Amino acid sequence: LYGHGSIVCAIAFSPDGKRLASGSLDAEIRLWIVGDEFDEERVLKNGDIVASLAFSSDGRFLVADSGSALRIWDMSTGEATGPAWPHNISSANVAISPDATRIVSGDGLLRLTMWDLGVLASGIEQAKIGNAPTSDVPIRSVTLSPDGNHIASGADDGSVCLWGAHTGKIVK
């Protein structure tokens, strides 16, 4: 599949498997219809590089992380739900809770940040639920458990940590 003008940094399937999103240093998100032909559906102009992508479990939203801001896309309209939301420097990973209510991002400033997806999508700034200080190394990857109760993070020192998603405290 060709179309991006630069390195592809992020890729994600929609939960139903009917769409594939790809994000690039060219600041575009390309949506592809999955099938025999993999037709391009549309191009979303993100306004900044796309370092990470995640679909909500209901397929309604696509979250793009540029490394310094989050942008929420409404998949029914193909439009951004509001402005890009600045956040901690050097974040390039994002995950959405299974119930599609929270976004978690990890960053180079040693924090996990939890966001309220519904509030972000409605365009209201006060979406940050909280920060959890981590150890002394930048976080490079995050994911949420299928039940939404735990966050796993991977860091520069090769460690993997397990966090309580509701408490922000390290479990292991």
Side-chain angles (χ1 to χ4, degrees):
L1 304 176
Y2 294 98
H4 285 289
S6 189
I7 297 168
V8 174
C9 301
I11 198 153
F13 274 105
S14 63
D16 64 6
K18 294 180 180 178
R19 281 185 172 146
L20 178 66
S22 57
S24 171
L25 295 181
D26 64 9
E28 292 181 346
I29 299 167
R30 293 184 178 269
L31 295 174
W32 309 87
I33 297 172
V34 176
D36 293 336
E37 299 297 319
F38 273 89
D39 295 324
E40 187 172 55
E41 180 182 14
R42 64 174 66 134
V43 177
L44 309 176
K45 302 288 187 182
N46 199 52
D48 201 351
I49 67 168
V50 181
S52 182
L53 290 169
F55 277 98
S56 59
S57 59
D58 57 9
R60 187 171 162 214
F61 297 111
L62 177 67
V63 178
D65 189 346
S66 69
S68 60
L70 297 176
R71 185 177 299 271
I72 314 297
W73 294 91
D74 184 321
M75 289 294 87
S76 65
T77 65
E79 299 292 324
T81 62
W85 298 104
H87 65 88
N88 301 326
I89 192 166
S90 298
S91 174
N93 55 87
V94 64
I96 302 175
S97 64
D99 62 3
T101 61
R102 295 167 290 148
I103 300 169
V104 64
S105 62
D107 68 36
L109 295 178
L110 320 177
R111 290 181 292 220
L112 288 174
T113 303
M114 190 72 77
W115 307 80
D116 183 312
L117 176 57
V119 174
L120 268 182
S122 68
I124 299 170
E125 283 189 58
Q126 300 303 318
K128 200 178 283 185
I129 296 170
N131 288 325
T134 63
S135 60
D136 58 352
V137 293
I139 294 174
R140 298 297 174 196
S141 57
V142 293
T143 190
L144 283 123
S145 62
D147 63 7
N149 290 326
H150 295 94
I151 300 166
S153 66
D156 278 5
D157 66 355
S159 67
V160 175
C161 288
L162 190 62
W163 306 80
H166 303 288
T167 66
K169 296 187 189 307
I170 292 179
V171 176
K172 216 169 239 295

